[in-house]
Amino acid sequence: MSSSIAGRCWHPSRRQCLVTGLAALVAPAWSLEPVSLASTEFPPYTGERLLGGGFLTRAIAMAFARSGYAATTLFYPWTRALKVTQNGEVDGITAIWRTAEREQWLAFSDPIVSNDIGFYARTERGMLLRELSDIKTQGLRIGVVRGYAVPKALLELKPLLEETLDDAAGLRMLAARRMDLVLIDRAVAHHLLQAQLTTLQPSLTWQNIVVESLPLHLALRRAAPRHVQQLAAFNAGLAAITADGSLARLKMKYGLA
């Protein structure tokens, strides 16, 4: 990450990165109220090594800056990101799907972007799925990232699930024949296979079934005393960058438009 986007990393062994948004371009840093967020590797939406921390990191920083906040983001493995948010070590979490369980302790923003959730399989096996029920009839094993929300339509099939550390690990395990399918966001898989796992690209294929199109949100801890004001400020800023085209331009920059 370059200094032009005010990003810097430290303690590489801790796999944490501080990304301060574009607030400095909007107002003096001392005049902005800080808000701290946890995130994880979910490229191209979020990522420690991505330009500006990824599309969502940039978009969230821009939206907060419009309303007088300076957002910083710390990167962790997903389950750790959830834990530090629950423990109050940060104010909230980015790139998260909304579920009834999470609603009990998190307050969710307006949707920022939607992602298509589906499956990858090994190319050699062709199209395994004509419809979702084929998962049950064929007894297919599915890789899911530990701690991720699983679409209800899939859970109703009571599938055989294999937990993975993250999306990249899931694709590697799929290529190694440790499962039949990987549940993954299509844009995330495309990015990983293009930029990080290039040797696996010929051997893995999208299954052309979208289980669910899920919006990604920012979420703040309900226990935090200022979460209501912060969430209102973020939603106002998000509306502003949507209305003036800033969000659409940012999507194009990250290949999401």
Side-chain angles (χ1 to χ4, degrees):
M1 286 177 276
S2 68
S3 58
S4 63
I5 55 171
R8 60 188 179 89
C9 296
W10 78 102
H11 298 312
S13 62
R14 294 175 61 195
R15 303 286 297 157
Q16 296 183 16
C17 178
L18 172 65
V19 179
T20 303
L22 304 180
L25 302 180
V26 180
W30 54 261
S31 68
L32 300 175
E33 182 176 335
V35 57
S36 59
L37 304 168
S39 190
T40 194
E41 294 297 318
F42 196 53
Y45 302 105
T46 59
E48 185 177 1
R49 296 180 179 86
L50 298 178
L51 177 68
F55 164 74
L56 267 178
T57 308
R58 292 279 301 278
I60 288 169
M62 288 171 60
F64 265 127
R66 289 291 182 95
S67 297
Y69 287 83
T72 60
T73 299
L74 291 162
F75 286 91
Y76 304 90
W78 179 244
T79 53
R80 176 66 177 159
L82 287 171
K83 187 173 182 179
V84 298
T85 306
Q86 286 179 313
N87 291 345
E89 296 175 47
V90 293
D91 298 312
I93 191 166
T94 69
I96 188 168
W97 299 330
R98 191 171 191 162
T99 67
E101 180 183 359
R102 292 170 179 171
E103 284 271 14
Q104 296 176 23
W105 62 281
L106 289 171
F108 287 80
S109 73
D110 293 337
I112 306 170
V113 66
S114 288
N115 48 2
D116 290 337
I117 309 301
F119 304 98
Y120 261 75
R122 292 189 300 280
T123 304
E124 66 191 32
R125 302 191 67 179
M127 287 295 158
L128 287 175
L129 303 179
R130 295 181 182 275
E131 53 189 34
L132 197 60
S133 61
D134 290 340
I135 291 171
K136 185 173 183 177
T137 57
Q138 297 182 46
L140 300 175
R141 294 171 301 156
I142 302 171
V144 296
V145 176
R146 185 181 301 116
Y148 277 16
V150 178
K152 182 180 178 181
L154 179 57
L155 285 177
E156 288 175 348
L157 297 174
K158 298 181 179 178
L160 303 171
L161 300 180
E162 181 83 22
E163 289 191 333
T164 68
L165 177 63
D166 54 32
D167 289 297
L171 291 171
R172 292 190 187 98
M173 291 168 69
L174 175 65
R177 296 179 172 83
R178 294 178 59 183
M179 56 193 62
D180 301 302
L181 300 166
V182 161
L183 181 71
I184 195 167
D185 170 79
R186 189 173 188 175
V188 171
H190 179 77
H191 177 89
L192 288 171
L193 292 171
Q194 290 282 335
Q196 185 177 331
L197 304 174
T198 55
T199 59
L200 301 184
Q201 188 175 356
S203 62
L204 301 180
T205 301
W206 174 255
Q207 287 293 291
N208 207 30
I209 287 183
V210 176
V211 183
E212 196 167 8
S213 186
L214 293 171
L216 286 169
H217 303 262
L218 159 79
L220 301 178
R221 285 189 314 115
R222 291 187 181 276
R226 292 185 53 78
H227 84 271
V228 173
Q229 298 94 317
Q230 290 172 340
L231 198 60
F234 174 79
N235 285 335
L238 179 61
I241 65 173
T242 300
D244 70 9
S246 297
L247 188 64
R249 289 190 291 273
L250 197 61
K251 283 183 182 178
M252 291 182 64
K253 185 170 185 176
Y254 285 89
L256 293 171

